[in-house]
Amino acid sequence: MWSNLTKVSIRNLLKHKSLTLINVSGMAVALTACMLIGLYIFDELQVDSRLADGDRIVRVSTKVESTDWAGTPAPLSLGLSEDFAEVEASARLMKFPELDQMLLRYESGSEVKQFYESRGYYADSTFFEVVAFPLLKGDASRALRTPSGIVISSQLADKIFGDEDPINKPLTVGLPFGDFDYTVTGVFDADFANSHIDANFFLTMENQDFGRIISQWTNWASNNIFYTYIKLRPDVDHDLFEQKVNSYFVVKAAQDMKAMGITKTIFFQPFRDIYLKSYAEYELGRKGNLGNLYIFGTIALFILLIACINFMNLTTARSERRAREVGIRKLLGADRTALMGQFLTESVMVALIGLLIAAALVPLVLPVFGEMIGRNITGHVHWTPWTASLILCIVAGVLAGMYPAFFLSGFKPVAILKGRFMGKISGISLREVLVVVQFCISACLILMVFVIKSQMNFVRTQDLGFDKEQQIILPLRSEKAIQSFDAMKNSLTQGSQFKSVTRASTYPGVESLEDMLYYTDGKTSEDVVHIRHSYVGDDFIETLGFDLLAGQSFTQALTTDRPLIILNESAVKALGYEVEESIGKRIHYDWRGETVTLEIHGVVRDFHFQSLHREIEPFGFRNGANGGYLIAKFSPGATGEALTAARKAWEAAQIAEPFTFSFLDQDFQRNYEREERTSNIIVSFAFLALFIACLGLYGLTAFMTELKTKEIGIRKTLGASDWSIISLLSKDIGKTVLLAVIMSVPIGIYLSKSWLANFAFQIQVEWWYFLLAGLVALIIAMLTVSFQSLKAAFMNPVESLKSE
């Protein structure tokens, strides 16, 4: 039976080559898109899935009012491991505040290798007992227990040591306050770990540099920069234990929180949910987005649905030709089930051929797709995505063939053989519905292309409240670089390329972890305002072009040693002052039992220190920067000369570290990398969806034109104009697509608002967005139809009527 069905299906597919080509092409493109998106989703879902006992690991995070914060205070981890039998092991991670890279140096004889490396984390000695990163070399139970031990990734080991065994090799780590010696005690497989903890290397907290400082941090309310992970015993109820730990924390931290005038609670985040489901601030490393996976998955299914609709439309369009086949088969004894099996076999075969083509295309397209999403996709080597693709292919084939099977197998043989074909009306009405669905989806995707591109253009061109153009950034990551700042500044300002030079602990676009709870004279620590701040040097306001509304900036002429601060408008208003009256006022914060007082020295217009995802927050600049970054404003058009001068100043200062730089505008734009990648994916697959829809519309128009060939010949013989023929063939499609565009409006409104909700500052979706998206969809549809319409209109009527 199956052999006969297959043979007949192949014969039918080969008989109608153009129809088969259109259906197979649409299915192949759709399945390629589905497989690419499926591989991306599969890769995202695999993060943190391989590490042992992941279901028993939770990260303890803090909540301050309505803000979730991924970090916790230093003493929490030890307290949990000592005071709760439910905790099998606990450990902390810490990334060096506002230091994105560390200098690693390896000396072997006369050879010196040194690299700036990112994603270096300090870790407790028990870290691998909690989070079981697989070690390729070294003993996981001892690797971080060795004083000043460092565990590096296999990629970093190859980069620094090559074929040498890295175990027990010395590495020097350069920090802003000195160089420190470490010993390699382990090498881990980062690819296998595939974790949101995207470490390049781990430094033990039992070290000679930052470790001594950390051991003195015993406050339960401040220094929330530690990521606390705990492994619970197998029989522990996570929800009940979370409540127990929160009560414990509130009691332990009560005195410290009262002194700071704040209230905090803690909550658990399941280890395997962090990557996709955590929305806490101050995240550790890699961050996924579950919403994007739903969006991409929906787009993939939409594209596949459009391809299935093509098959339905084209199959029912030629139902009149297959009606006699059905009638003869029924007269020879075929029942409806057998006929349905025949048509379903054809549709599944088309889908399987499409899958084979897609399987050949995916490895070719995958590198390009990987560049688009900014990561290397490896899921194609696993059997799960391929099995899912095969199942999806068969489901799509059955879905595409289901209606044609019911529709065609329901014809009455006597009526068909007498020439009375009665199935046409329902077939035509359904085809119109399916075309509406196709182009409704296409119009929504076109609208999202316009909205996304407009929003991304908006964030690129929005006035941020400072001058981000022509700003070169030189990181000062070592003692020597910090000490050489004045010499480099003098060297740069002597040239004509630079207008001004300053330094700061951080700058706009880079996360600032410095913050305090301030209060004004006459108020207490219970009436506090949360203000983030950074430490800046002379001429910072002028170099970055902030708009000074009142007071003065920090300059070399400033001789006072008292602590000063320049606030933005939001901070001044939150403190209860007007801009002009705030100058000279004092504000205070409490720190380790003492009150620290600062004087408001100036007020700048509100600006975006962080991306447009977030509202503008109270922010301040404090005088006394020491280290961080050198920031230099250079003249327009002098980029090359500025880089050359900066390099010469760096080398003249005899700084041993490699010369590295960045530009402020590019650094700020990196805040939108995820949205840029999302927009690229949506735009690309929107065009694919439109291509498949037009492919089906082209085939459908070809068949409908063929059915009306003799009618067109008669009309032309009776004097019909070419335009009237074109109008006859195009108007029904035009009306159908126009209806699809109208139906897409409410769906488009919902989709655009949902996507824009990620931005605190966003464009307004105007009415002409919908008009433009609809016009594009309509024009593309009419251009697709026009080829067949023009061909029919210019046909010689004698050719179309001579068979009569």
Side-chain angles (χ1 to χ4, degrees):
M1 175 184 175
W2 288 109
S3 175
N4 181 62
L5 288 176
T6 303
K7 289 179 180 178
V8 174
S9 297
I10 293 174
R11 189 181 303 125
N12 279 322
L13 294 176
L14 292 175
K15 183 179 179 181
H16 305 283
K17 293 183 178 63
S18 60
L19 175 67
T20 302
L21 180 62
I22 291 174
N23 281 330
V24 169
S25 298
M27 196 64 74
V29 173
L31 287 171
T32 300
C34 287
M35 291 173 71
L36 289 173
I37 292 177
L39 288 171
Y40 172 67
I41 293 174
F42 178 77
D43 258 28
E44 290 288 277
L45 295 176
Q46 292 304 297
V47 175
D48 288 325
S49 66
R50 293 181 178 181
L51 297 177
D53 299 323
D55 57 332
R56 292 200 284 136
I57 306 171
V58 297
R59 186 176 73 184
V60 186
S61 301
T62 55
K63 183 184 289 290
V64 184
E65 297 179 351
S66 60
T67 302
D68 292 347
W69 185 261
T72 55
L76 178 62
S77 175
L78 182 61
L80 294 179
S81 63
E82 288 183 345
D83 296 340
F84 292 98
E86 296 92 334
V87 176
E88 184 175 303
S90 70
R92 301 168 300 175
L93 283 182
M94 189 203 73
K95 57 182 178 182
F96 199 103
E98 297 172 357
L99 184 68
D100 56 341
Q101 292 183 323
M102 300 183 194
L103 182 70
L104 301 186
R105 184 168 64 250
Y106 171 59
E107 299 182 14
S108 178
S110 60
E111 182 184 12
V112 177
K113 294 181 181 179
Q114 55 182 3
F115 308 98
Y116 278 123
E117 296 294 338
S118 59
R119 308 193 313 277
Y121 304 130
Y122 287 90
D124 278 332
S125 60
T126 55
F127 175 73
F128 292 130
E129 296 177 23
V130 180
V131 183
F133 265 55
L135 260 60
L136 302 175
K137 296 182 178 181
D139 183 354
S141 64
R142 299 176 56 83
L144 291 172
R145 295 184 184 276
T146 302
S148 296
I150 180 173
V151 180
I152 60 178
S153 68
S154 53
Q155 294 89 339
L156 188 55
D158 292 338
K159 182 177 179 179
I160 297 177
F161 300 103
D163 296 331
E164 293 183 66
D165 184 357
I167 299 299
N168 295 324
K169 289 288 194 303
L171 269 183
T172 301
V173 178
L175 296 174
F177 44 85
D179 293 340
F180 299 91
D181 295 326
Y182 281 80
T183 301
V184 178
T185 55
V187 177
F188 65 89
D189 186 350
D191 289 335
F192 181 85
N194 189 22
S195 175
H196 73 275
I197 306 174
D198 60 339
N200 199 13
F201 57 96
F202 294 103
L203 303 166
T204 177
M205 285 197 195
E206 298 176 4
N207 55 56
Q208 55 188 324
D209 46 280
F210 212 59
R212 284 174 285 186
I213 300 174
I214 292 173
S215 63
Q216 299 173 10
W217 289 353
T218 58
N219 190 290
W220 281 76
S222 62
N223 294 321
N224 294 276
I225 59 173
F226 295 88
Y227 303 90
T228 300
Y229 293 86
I230 58 175
K231 179 191 276 190
L232 303 178
R233 299 194 184 279
D235 56 344
V236 175
D237 184 305
H238 290 202
D239 292 333
L240 291 177
F241 187 58
E242 179 184 38
Q243 298 175 16
K244 186 176 179 180
V245 170
N246 186 53
S247 300
Y248 166 84
F249 173 77
V250 170
V251 171
K252 280 283 189 180
Q255 184 175 349
D256 292 332
M257 289 193 294
K258 182 178 180 181
M260 294 182 65
I262 59 171
T263 300
K264 292 183 181 181
T265 57
I266 64 97
F267 64 98
F268 287 175
Q269 292 180 289
F271 182 80
R272 289 176 177 166
D273 290 349
I274 292 172
Y275 177 69
L276 287 175
K277 297 181 181 179
S278 174
Y279 295 96
E281 293 188 28
Y282 188 56
E283 267 300 343
L284 177 62
R286 293 170 61 191
K287 181 72 181 72
N289 188 310
L290 188 61
N292 280 350
L293 299 191
Y294 285 123
I295 291 173
F296 298 152
T298 302
I299 290 174
L301 293 178
F302 277 168
I303 291 174
L304 191 60
L305 177 61
I306 290 173
C308 292
I309 289 173
N310 281 352
F311 186 91
M312 295 180 196
N313 276 341
L314 295 176
T315 304
T316 55
R318 64 188 185 100
S319 56
E320 197 167 316
R321 291 188 172 186
R322 300 203 67 174
R324 288 183 176 82
E325 175 193 341
V326 172
I328 292 172
R329 283 175 177 273
K330 281 195 170 184
L331 286 177
L332 293 176
D335 59 12
R336 187 169 188 180
T337 302
L339 289 170
M340 289 179 63
Q342 177 64 57
F343 294 122
L344 287 174
T345 301
E346 289 182 22
S347 64
V348 171
M349 189 168 291
V350 167
L352 289 173
I353 295 172
L355 179 63
L356 290 175
I357 297 173
L361 288 175
V362 165
L364 300 176
V365 181
L366 203 56
V368 178
F369 183 67
E371 288 183 10
M372 185 186 300
I373 63 176
R375 58 182 295 185
N376 182 30
I377 298 294
T378 58
H380 64 288
V381 300
H382 198 278
W383 62 269
T384 302
W386 293 105
T387 304
S389 298
L390 178 60
I391 294 172
L392 182 64
C393 168
I394 294 173
V395 170
V398 172
L399 176 65
M402 188 68 71
Y403 177 74
F406 275 107
F407 178 63
L408 297 174
S409 64
F411 294 160
K412 298 183 183 302
V414 175
I416 293 169
L417 297 177
K418 285 184 177 181
R420 296 194 297 272
F421 179 62
M422 304 302 294
K424 197 180 340 182
I425 295 176
S426 62
I428 290 175
S429 62
L430 178 68
R431 284 199 299 275
E432 291 173 347
V433 171
L434 294 178
V435 171
V436 167
V437 173
Q438 277 187 316
F439 278 89
C440 180
I441 294 172
S442 299
C444 287
L445 291 175
I446 292 171
L447 173 67
M448 289 305 297
V449 169
F450 288 136
V451 170
I452 290 172
K453 288 298 183 182
S454 297
Q455 177 64 22
M456 298 315 296
N457 184 63
F458 172 76
V459 300
R460 280 191 293 266
T461 58
Q462 173 75 352
D463 180 13
L464 300 175
F466 63 91
D467 185 6
K468 69 180 190 303
E469 307 296 334
Q470 285 87 48
Q471 304 277 8
I472 187 172
I473 311 293
L474 303 183
L476 307 176
R477 298 190 179 101
S478 67
E479 274 190 306
K480 176 62 175 176
I482 293 171
Q483 294 168 1
S484 301
F485 168 77
D486 290 330
M488 287 191 290
K489 179 178 180 179
N490 292 334
S491 175
L492 294 176
T493 52
Q494 287 175 4
S496 60
Q497 302 93 348
F498 291 94
K499 297 181 177 180
S500 60
V501 178
T502 187
R503 61 177 165 182
S505 60
T506 185
Y507 56 92
V510 176
E511 185 178 33
S512 174
L513 302 182
E514 300 279 358
D515 63 335
M516 285 294 173
L517 299 172
Y518 293 88
Y519 56 93
T520 60
D521 285 337
K523 296 185 178 180
T524 66
S525 58
E526 296 182 0
D527 305 303
V528 293
V529 175
H530 178 244
I531 301 177
R532 294 186 185 275
H533 62 255
S534 61
Y535 289 89
V536 302
D538 298 337
D539 306 318
F540 178 81
I541 302 299
E542 291 77 12
T543 302
L544 273 78
F546 290 98
D547 187 3
L548 190 67
L549 301 179
Q552 298 176 345
S553 63
F554 301 137
T555 64
Q556 287 183 329
L558 185 66
T559 57
T560 182
D561 291 331
R562 65 183 184 278
L564 303 175
I565 191 168
I566 297 174
L567 299 175
N568 67 352
E569 292 174 280
S570 294
V572 170
K573 292 175 182 177
L575 290 167
Y577 292 127
E578 296 296 329
V579 171
E580 293 294 340
E581 73 173 16
S582 65
I583 304 303
K585 300 290 186 181
R586 299 189 307 168
I587 58 175
H588 320 275
Y589 66 86
D590 295 334
W591 178 249
R592 294 183 178 179
E594 297 182 0
T595 299
V596 180
T597 300
L598 293 87
E599 180 182 312
I600 300 177
H601 191 63
V603 179
V604 297
R605 183 167 63 90
D606 275 343
F607 59 91
H608 296 276
F609 200 90
Q610 295 176 309
S611 71
L612 271 65
H613 291 111
R614 302 179 58 170
E615 297 284 355
I616 294 176
E617 300 176 345
F619 203 96
F621 301 115
R622 296 181 60 174
N623 61 332
N626 182 27
Y629 302 89
L630 179 150
I631 306 171
K633 173 72 174 177
F634 60 90
S635 302
T639 305
E641 295 87 343
L643 282 175
T644 301
R647 182 182 293 275
K648 287 182 177 179
W650 185 272
E651 293 172 351
Q654 297 183 343
I655 302 172
E657 294 79 34
F659 173 76
T660 59
F661 67 92
S662 63
F663 295 103
L664 195 152
D665 56 344
Q666 295 176 357
D667 290 345
F668 202 93
Q669 193 61 31
R670 289 192 186 97
N671 288 289
Y672 309 112
E673 279 185 344
R674 188 166 64 187
E675 284 72 22
E676 291 279 6
R677 290 168 183 164
T678 301
S679 69
N680 291 336
I681 293 173
I682 292 177
V683 169
S684 300
F685 287 102
F687 281 114
L688 276 183
L690 198 58
F691 167 76
I692 298 171
C694 290
L695 193 66
L697 187 60
Y698 176 84
L700 181 61
T701 307
F703 279 106
M704 300 308 295
T705 302
E706 188 176 339
L707 290 176
K708 293 186 177 184
T709 298
K710 292 180 175 58
E711 177 187 343
I712 292 169
I714 295 171
R715 285 178 177 272
K716 293 200 72 173
T717 303
L718 296 176
S721 64
D722 291 343
W723 176 251
S724 66
I725 300 299
I726 295 172
S727 176
L728 172 70
L729 296 171
S730 303
K731 65 181 181 181
D732 288 340
I733 293 295
K735 291 177 182 177
T736 304
V737 175
L738 184 60
L739 176 61
V741 169
I742 294 172
M743 292 179 62
S744 71
V745 171
I747 303 173
I749 291 174
Y750 171 77
L751 292 176
S752 57
K753 285 187 175 180
S754 298
W755 191 80
L756 290 171
N758 293 314
F759 295 87
F761 296 85
Q762 55 188 242
I763 61 169
Q764 291 296 321
V765 181
E766 306 288 350
W767 61 269
W768 59 267
Y769 279 75
F770 300 95
L771 177 62
L772 185 59
L775 284 174
V776 170
L778 185 61
I779 290 171
I780 292 175
M782 298 314 295
L783 287 174
T784 305
V785 173
S786 65
F787 178 79
Q788 295 293 340
S789 302
L790 291 171
K791 182 180 177 182
F794 296 143
M795 185 185 299
N796 187 341
V798 176
E799 295 294 329
S800 60
L801 295 175
K802 66 181 180 181
S803 62
E804 295 292 324

